[in-house]
Amino acid sequence: MDLYELTIHQALEKMEQGEISSVELTRNCLDRIEKIDSKLNAFVTVDREGALLQAAEADRKRSRGEGGLLCGIPLSIKDLLSTKDLRTTCGSKILEDFVPVFDATVIQKIKNEGGVILGKVAMDEFAMGSTSETCFSGVPHNPYKRGYVAGGSSGGSAASVAAMECLGSLGSDTGGSIRQPASLCGVVGIKPTYGRVSRFGLVAFASSLDQVGPIAGNIDDTARLLKCISGYDKNDSTSVKQPVPDFSGFIGKSIKGLKVGIPREYFGEGVDPEIAAIVENGINILREGGAEIRDVSLPHTEYCVAVYYIIAPSEASSNLARYDGALYGYRDNKSETLLEMYKNSRSAGFGDEVKRRILIGTYALSSGYYDAYYKKASQVRTLILEDYKNVFDECDVILSPVTPLPAWKMGENKDDPLSVYLSDIMTISANLAGIPGMSVPGGFTRKGLPVGIQLQANHFMEEKLFQTGSYLEREVDLNRPELAL
Amino acid sequence: MKKISKKEVEHIVHLARLTLDKGELEKVTVQLDTILSYVEKLDELETSDVEPTTHVFSVCNAFRDDVVSKSLPREKALVNAPRQDGESFHVPKII
């Protein structure tokens, strides 16, 4: 067995017992990246030297008995979390040479716990997408089928974990960007409650929806990573002062009497029959385990995509105004006036999808249209929140598919943005409501493509996700095929 | 009915500080029109009595104590600048 196949839990045990060192483990992961990443394209930047230095430091700390919760564990980081002295591109040409001067709070926390950062991984440009195809540096493949998408926007995170280039990863989720690639790549991903994790140093896309979260090979490792990054941060005024529970403590807890809601709106036409069968299997397993399955309704589900594609682009158009070529990032040097410099730098630096969303947002916020679009969407957002409130009055978790379709071929739907937007229908409502959601592997299609099951819980009830998810993880017979690498 | 005209898109492109060539403008106008027609779906809902949600948890006045703390040194703040002279950012002449 190669060291990169270890779970975080197993690797920590082996290091604790002195069987392996972090330097050996880290080198093993780096060698794997060198060997397979030209076929996978998960990494934008590999920091071999820096990672080995961090690993050596972790080994020293451990020998002195000072190691943290992730001491010596090699991780990949989505390329929109600010990493000091390590290039952070957001998958965009406009930040191609950007080297941050500070660490995001979550990166500081990972480093404090002894985590080793191998490098930065691919994503849709500024996290706007569901396939990672808009990443300027190359598109990650699905580790189970080359030529198929890994999902997005945290496609590099999910692909690098599934392909065992690292033991875990941090991604971000604005409309499903952790849960959807986790589902498409057959790994576990969790979007925490809005405010659970600091957004300081997370490059902003849609500030009222963005949330950082972990992706890992199993529930236990995901719980460990989430514990490390959670908590109030004075640098993020929207982070919430809530105690951080020991999420791992809920793993394996009995699900007898657990009330699981099945929202009928998530099972309409358009859901692939293989996905429906895999999700149905998950429901049956929970029922047999003693959970109480209830038919519930989230009546405003059909409006979620419309609400999201007003709110997210509006916030993005405002957030992305900062890329103007003046202080950092790409600048068009031929421009003679300031206005030309803004326009030419932004036009050459941003890709088509980012421009499209900036334009939608600029339109929705422009004079005379604000009430019709942004205000209207924010009102319907309230109705979506109320739907959830009603369901969580009688349920502990909501179970559904993550996506209507399994991973698709790269290049499909290229000129039809709306059809791609519609594929987000099952994930974006959790962001609009600020509730936590998880994707846990549920099975594989006949073609060998992974399919996840989505669990959602009420605000700050991530523990219910770990409780339910760990039961599914233990009882579902995945029949995991070999990686196609 | 068309939701958005090419002329309106041209104006939005200017407000967003972007430029599009003729071909891009044609294509984007069609795409924005499709998206804006889709989001019109929200008009099916009567919302005049509904309070808008902007943040899920209303954190009111997140004040901090007025204490002097360390800030980024100038040379670090300038390190990613496309053009600078060690003291300030350089941009094309404005006046």
Side-chain angles (χ1 to χ4, degrees), chain A residues 264-278:
Chain A
R264 66 182 74 104
E265 291 82 4
Y266 284 53
F267 291 84
E269 53 180 316
V271 178
D272 182 275
E274 285 194 90
I275 291 186
I278 285 167

Side-chain angles (χ1 to χ4, degrees), chain A residues 215-469:
Chain A
I215 292 179
N218 61 79
I219 300 269
D220 179 52
D221 289 352
T222 316
R224 192 180 295 265
L225 285 167
L226 183 59
K227 181 159 177 71
C228 291
I229 61 170
S230 294
Y232 172 74
D233 176 15
K234 67 174 172 30
N235 286 328
D236 173 7
S237 60
T238 60
S239 69
V240 178
K241 280 178 185 156
Q242 276 272 338
V244 179
D246 178 26
F247 301 114
S248 306
F250 294 88
I251 291 174
K253 214 177 145 194
S254 163
I255 58 154
K256 278 213 165 56
L258 189 85
K259 296 180 192 73
V260 181
I262 313 297
R264 66 182 74 104
E265 291 82 4
Y266 284 53
F267 291 84
E269 53 180 316
V271 178
D272 182 275
E274 285 194 90
I275 291 186
I278 285 167
V279 173
E280 195 60 42
N281 179 50
I283 296 171
N284 288 334
I285 284 172
L286 293 181
R287 188 185 284 117
E288 282 157 25
E292 217 178 280
I293 308 295
R294 292 184 179 192
D295 184 22
V296 297
S297 174
L298 295 164
H300 293 93
T301 299
E302 62 172 307
Y303 300 100
C304 288
V305 173
V307 171
Y308 181 83
Y309 280 96
I310 294 170
I311 290 178
S314 295
E315 295 182 7
S317 75
S318 165
N319 275 326
L320 271 62
R322 73 191 66 180
Y323 304 100
D324 57 6
L327 308 187
Y328 51 83
Y330 176 80
R331 174 188 295 191
D332 177 75
N333 279 315
K334 290 189 208 89
S335 303
E336 285 178 11
T337 68
L338 191 67
L339 186 63
E340 274 177 35
M341 183 192 88
Y342 291 157
K343 287 187 171 183
N344 293 336
S345 303
R346 289 163 63 78
S347 298
F350 290 137
D352 288 348
E353 181 61 27
V354 172
K355 285 182 201 166
R356 192 151 48 229
R357 296 209 197 184
I358 289 174
L359 291 173
I360 298 170
T362 306
Y363 180 73
L365 294 178
S366 65
S367 172
Y369 294 104
Y370 175 82
D371 278 359
Y373 290 104
Y374 194 77
K375 189 179 170 202
K376 180 80 185 183
S378 303
Q379 287 171 315
V380 180
R381 189 175 180 182
T382 304
L383 300 177
I384 292 163
L385 262 158
E386 282 167 4
D387 281 358
Y388 274 116
K389 232 174 245 158
N390 293 336
V391 169
F392 287 127
D393 275 346
E394 52 161 331
C395 286
D396 298 298
V397 292
I398 294 172
L399 184 148
S400 73
V402 185
T403 58
L405 298 171
W408 55 91
K409 267 191 198 147
M410 289 175 179
E412 278 180 17
N413 302 322
K414 226 178 156 189
D415 283 327
D416 185 5
L418 185 59
S419 73
V420 180
Y421 296 175
L422 287 168
S423 73
D424 297 340
I425 187 152
M426 291 158 175
T427 46
I428 56 189
S429 51
N431 300 78
L432 293 170
I435 60 166
M438 172 188 273
S439 174
V440 56
F444 285 79
T445 64
R446 280 188 301 274
K447 264 185 170 171
L449 292 166
V451 173
I453 294 173
Q454 178 171 239
L455 302 169
Q456 301 177 69
N458 211 346
H459 296 126
F460 299 105
M461 296 304 268
E462 285 88 351
E463 56 207 54
K464 300 277 181 200
L465 304 180
F466 289 111
Q467 180 184 1
T468 319

